[in-house]
Amino acid sequence: MSRVYNFSAGPAVLPEEVLAEASAEMLDYRGTGMSVMEMSHRSKAYQTIIDEAESDLRGLLHIPDNYKVLFLQGGASQQFAMVPMNLMKNKVADYIVTGQWAKKACSEGKLYGTANAVASSADKTFSYIPDCSDLPISEDADYVYICENNTIYGTKYKTLPNTKGKLLVADQSSCFLSEPVDVSKYGLIFAGAQKNVGPAGTVIVIVREDLVTEDVLPGTPTMLRYKTHVDAGSLYNTPPTYGIYICGKVFKWLKARGGLEAMKQYNEEKAKILYDFLDQSKLFKGTVVKQDRSLMNVPFVTGDEEMDALFVKESKAAGLENLKGHRTVGGMRASIYNAMPMEGVKKLVEFMDDFETRYGK
């Protein structure tokens, strides 16, 4: 069977070159006589893997020396709790709620202190990013929290919020490594790997070193302290070894493609093909205001649930997989992460054009 074009929001498409390399190394990783899946995380061979992964990630993002890089487990959702446990010193934090994941993070924050929703786009089904130029930031807020790219709703911050000097914490799960980022503008960035970087089971945390302290909320488990993992170089316990190995290969793939500047240009070209079609279509329409559109996740609808269902059914038969929208939104969603080739987006648009010819009024 030939590979399909996989538009899943996550776990998502990975570069074929990475999968081929991993396949070739599955039974014998570079003369060790074993798979990375079988390898001790304390071995010299694995230490090289995780060291190279961190080094390549630092190079791609130009991560300053005073930031620590962690490869952890628990996914992005565990960070909803780890962030307040480690950073909510005054037990106050401000959240900008632009979708389900920011909403869940804010709810989790309320377990540990006062979590204020200082802005929200819930009034229009999270179809836009609110104006964040002059927010009512709490004077004693420990941090301001955002979900930078909203996977379900297809919105993306184009300008970071004015935090009025407060620490910025960002969930970058679905836009991580899709474009250059000035890490120094953040106190902490985290990203679940399964959307744009690697397989499910790994979460990457980039945290400024002055935020890594013993001063955490009472009762914070050892495993949920950033310092525990910083001190142990992400090897306090057995990490998601194979996931980190694949992430490392993706980092090298990105470097070979010219880094994040080149990736951003490629992603803009891909997204333009799809958005241009949606903007002229009489059957399909995008659901996000133009200025806040994501390059990674593109939701769209026909306005008719039966027509949407037919589109999803026929697209699957045409080798275009996982185009059904999130259960909370309906319609369709094309996730076009770094590893989605240009040809995949073109095939999708060709199919949409044909579908419109056949069923459009």
Side-chain angles (χ1 to χ4, degrees):
M1 179 184 177
S2 61
R3 279 177 63 79
V4 298
Y5 288 113
N6 179 13
F7 293 93
S8 172
V13 61
L14 284 165
E16 283 194 30
E17 298 95 319
V18 167
L19 296 175
E21 276 187 29
S23 175
E25 294 175 346
M26 178 58 78
L27 295 178
D28 178 10
Y29 177 74
R30 301 186 183 179
T32 61
M34 67 182 83
S35 169
V36 174
M37 282 190 188
E38 307 167 288
M39 188 179 289
S40 168
H41 61 298
R42 305 293 181 193
S43 67
K44 189 177 291 186
Y46 192 76
Q47 189 67 55
T48 300
I49 289 171
I50 196 169
D51 286 347
E52 282 190 13
E54 177 175 342
S55 177
D56 288 339
L57 179 59
R58 284 185 174 278
L60 282 165
L61 278 171
H62 306 292
I63 298 174
D65 290 342
N66 65 323
Y67 282 74
K68 300 297 185 181
V69 173
L70 299 173
F71 296 97
L72 305 178
Q73 301 176 77
S77 294
Q78 186 162 286
Q79 294 304 307
F80 299 168
M82 265 185 100
V83 165
M85 282 178 169
N86 286 267
L87 303 185
M88 205 186 257
K89 317 292 188 186
N90 298 322
K91 294 198 172 184
V92 178
D94 291 344
Y95 288 73
I96 302 170
V97 180
T98 52
Q100 292 284 67
W101 302 117
K103 185 178 178 182
K104 287 185 176 183
C106 186
S107 294
E108 194 75 6
K110 289 177 180 177
L111 297 176
Y112 303 100
T114 301
N116 304 302
V118 292
S120 172
S121 53
D123 62 323
K124 294 184 178 176
T125 325
F126 300 120
S127 60
Y128 71 101
I129 298 293
D131 181 2
C132 298
S133 60
D134 188 19
L135 297 170
I137 303 297
S138 307
E139 282 188 22
D140 53 351
D142 292 297
Y143 57 85
V144 177
Y145 180 104
I146 63 171
C147 180
E148 199 159 327
N149 187 90
N150 293 283
T151 322
I152 296 173
Y153 301 96
T155 57
K156 167 74 164 66
Y157 285 79
K158 302 300 168 66
T159 303
L160 292 177
N162 176 8
T163 64
K164 299 182 179 177
K166 300 298 183 183
L167 203 66
L168 179 62
V169 172
D171 175 355
Q172 288 189 357
S173 294
S174 53
C175 61
F176 193 60
L177 301 187
S178 64
E179 61 183 19
V181 166
D182 183 352
V183 173
S184 68
K185 291 183 177 179
Y186 304 79
L188 185 147
I189 294 168
F190 68 86
Q194 75 275 12
K195 297 179 185 296
N196 212 27
V197 186
T202 304
V203 61
I204 296 166
V205 175
I206 302 169
V207 56
R208 210 172 64 209
E209 63 184 5
D210 63 293
L211 302 175
V212 180
T213 68
E214 297 278 9
D215 180 22
V216 297
L217 294 187
T220 298
T222 301
M223 275 291 291
L224 297 184
R225 300 174 182 222
Y226 292 126
K227 193 172 191 308
T228 297
H229 300 287
V230 166
D231 289 349
S234 297
L235 296 169
Y236 175 75
N237 67 325
T238 307
T241 53
Y242 199 78
I244 295 167
Y245 158 75
I246 297 292
C247 288
K249 287 198 174 297
V250 171
F251 301 157
K252 290 188 185 301
W253 177 79
L254 286 167
K255 287 174 67 178
R257 289 184 65 107
L260 301 190
E261 287 284 359
M263 209 67 237
K264 180 185 181 185
Q265 183 177 343
Y266 187 66
N267 287 328
E268 287 174 342
E269 291 171 6
K270 279 192 299 183
K272 186 176 188 303
I273 292 169
L274 183 48
Y275 283 126
D276 282 354
F277 176 80
L278 288 171
D279 288 342
Q280 61 81 44
S281 173
K282 291 182 171 59
L283 178 62
F284 300 99
K285 70 170 185 174
T287 59
V288 175
V289 298
K290 285 188 179 182
Q291 66 267 27
D292 297 329
R293 285 171 165 173
S294 167
L295 296 180
M296 298 286 99
N297 311 100
V298 185
F300 57 96
V301 296
T302 66
D304 181 289
E305 288 187 11
E306 289 185 5
M307 188 73 77
D308 289 351
L310 181 63
F311 177 86
V312 171
K313 180 182 177 182
E314 290 198 4
S315 63
K316 181 179 177 69
L320 306 170
E321 285 278 356
N322 295 310
L323 283 164
K324 185 176 181 179
H326 192 271
R327 62 186 180 277
T328 62
V329 180
M332 285 75 67
R333 172 181 53 178
S335 293
I336 52 176
Y337 298 122
N338 285 347
M340 172 57 65
M342 189 80 71
E343 295 73 28
V345 178
K346 289 178 178 177
K347 286 285 186 185
L348 172 59
V349 168
E350 286 173 14
F351 178 80
M352 293 171 72
D353 191 33
D354 176 65
F355 187 91
E356 182 166 343
T357 299
R358 289 183 288 120
Y359 297 109
K361 297 176 183 178

